[in-house]
């Protein structure tokens, strides 16, 4: 039990650091780490992937609150766009999480591997465009476009247990938002994704019997609490580091990191 707690604390610390620096929820790290941990401690059985995804979303609530508060303090949130995307993302995450019990765990794992590989390669080979294409001219899209995009990101985020930041940042860049504001807005976007997804997973797993002790639906509370104890304070550190370090180097580093996780998941 002590070893499990220490592993989860470490996972939370790294996830929180990355969340603060890159405006993501941390799920890209938390989900595979939880899959490995649950398998190692023989918890979850047939529902391991579902528990990892659900618990990841629950931890993102705390991480997002911590990092988005600091991003807002630094005036790095584009509220005019965020407000339009929130409605769609809540609908998408609740719907997506409610569907997951009908998706085999291996499918969820393979979807996540494909997702990590695509995003990792995109970050590695397109970092210069992502980091340097700064502009103050924000594209004026119709409100329905932001709602639809928010819903689509919400659905996918719920299926793979991420906050959606990895998808939000590139979208906001396409809209002309500068990189630091894209990261800050993305951090705030992950909060409603995490709340909606967590509610959906609690409902979806409520009547399933063979789940680990102290689970609330598919949400494994001991993992959530341990990870949040470390991720919340480390998210603040990540925001401060992100303000000082090169965005280009941060994105390239994270791309390599995602590819390593994808390979490990594929071989496990």
């Amino acid at each position: 039990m002590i070893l499990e707690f220490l592993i989860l604390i470490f996972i939370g610390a790294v996830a929180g650091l990355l969340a603060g620096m890159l405006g993501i929820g941390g799920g890209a790290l938390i989900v595979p780490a939880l899959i490995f941990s649950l398998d190692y401690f023989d918890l979850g059985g047939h529902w391991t992937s579902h528990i990892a995804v659900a618990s990841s979303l629950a931890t993102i609530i705390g991480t997002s609150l911590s990092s988005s508060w600091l991003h807002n303090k630094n005036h790095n949130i584009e509220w005019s766009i965020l407000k339009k995307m929130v409605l769609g993302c809540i609908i998408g995450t609740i719907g997506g999480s409610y569907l997951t019990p009908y998706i085999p765990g291996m499918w969820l794992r393979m979807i996540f591997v494909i997702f990590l590989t695509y995003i990792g390669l995109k970050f590695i080979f397109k970092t210069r465009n992502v980091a340097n294409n700064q502009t103050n001219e924000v594209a004026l899209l119709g409100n329905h476009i932001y709602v639809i995009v928010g819903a689509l990101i919400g659905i996918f985020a719920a299926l793979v247990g991420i906050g959606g930041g990895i998808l939000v940042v590139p979208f906001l860049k396409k809209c002309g938002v500068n990189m630091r504001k894209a990261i800050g807005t993305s951090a705030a976007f992950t909060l409603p994704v995490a709340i909606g997804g967590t509610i959906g997973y609690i409902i979806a797993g409520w009547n399933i019997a063979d789940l680990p002790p102290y689970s609330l639906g598919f949400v494994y509370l001991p993992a959530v609490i341990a990870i949040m104890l470390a991720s919340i304070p480390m998210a603040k550190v990540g925001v401060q580091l992100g303000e000082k370090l090169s965005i280009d180097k941060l994105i390239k580093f994270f791309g390599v990191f995602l590819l390593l996780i994808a390979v490990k998941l594929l071989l496990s």
Side-chain angles (χ1 to χ4, degrees):
M1 189 68 180
I2 295 177
L3 178 60
E4 179 186 1
F5 179 76
L6 292 176
I7 290 174
L8 294 171
I9 285 287
F10 177 75
I11 293 170
V14 178
L17 192 67
L18 292 173
M21 286 194 298
L22 300 174
I24 61 174
L29 167 67
I30 295 172
V31 172
L34 277 179
I35 289 175
F36 297 143
S37 299
L38 291 169
D39 284 342
Y40 180 81
F41 292 106
D42 197 25
L43 295 169
H46 174 69
W47 301 106
T48 298
S49 295
H50 299 76
I51 295 168
V53 169
S55 302
S56 170
L57 285 168
T59 65
I60 290 171
I61 295 175
T63 307
S64 177
L65 277 171
S66 176
S67 60
S68 59
W69 181 81
L70 276 177
H71 280 299
N72 185 54
K73 187 177 179 181
N74 293 332
H75 307 288
N76 281 335
I77 296 180
E78 193 71 55
W79 286 103
S80 60
I81 293 178
L82 179 64
K83 292 175 183 177
K84 299 170 186 176
M85 297 180 69
V86 165
L87 175 60
C89 87
I90 292 176
I91 296 171
T93 49
I94 293 177
S97 57
Y98 190 74
L99 291 173
T100 51
Y102 306 102
I103 302 175
M106 183 54 67
W107 288 19
L108 280 181
R109 188 175 298 206
M110 291 311 299
I111 290 172
F112 198 76
V113 167
I114 294 170
F115 163 71
L116 288 180
T117 303
Y118 170 74
I119 295 297
L121 290 173
K122 186 178 179 67
F123 277 9
I124 290 171
F125 293 109
K126 294 188 178 181
T127 49
R128 186 164 301 279
N129 290 334
V130 172
N132 295 335
N133 185 25
Q134 304 289 338
T135 176
N136 293 320
E137 297 181 4
V138 178
L140 298 176
L141 302 179
N143 291 344
H144 65 287
I145 298 295
Y146 291 111
V147 173
I148 292 172
V149 171
L152 292 175
I153 293 176
I155 292 171
F156 188 78
L159 290 177
V160 298
I162 63 172
I166 290 176
L167 301 175
V168 174
V169 172
F171 170 70
L172 292 180
K173 284 301 300 171
K174 292 290 185 182
C175 293
V177 178
N178 73 65
M179 191 60 187
R180 296 203 183 277
K181 280 204 170 187
I183 289 176
T185 306
S186 170
F189 178 88
T190 61
L191 180 59
V193 169
I195 293 173
T198 300
I199 292 172
Y201 273 103
I202 290 173
I203 295 171
W206 192 260
N207 293 319
I208 295 177
D210 52 340
L211 294 174
Y214 310 109
S215 293
L216 192 61
F218 281 122
V219 177
Y220 182 42
L221 294 177
V224 172
I225 294 170
I227 290 173
M228 286 178 68
L229 283 174
S231 66
I232 292 175
M234 288 306 292
K236 296 180 180 179
V237 176
V239 172
Q240 294 168 349
L241 284 176
E243 290 290 323
K244 299 175 182 177
L245 300 178
S246 165
I247 293 295
D248 186 73
K249 291 180 180 178
L250 285 176
I251 295 174
K252 182 169 288 190
F253 164 77
F254 193 57
V256 173
F257 182 71
L258 292 181
L259 287 182
L260 291 175
I261 294 176
V263 171
K264 180 64 177 176
L265 270 177
L266 194 60
L267 297 177
S268 65

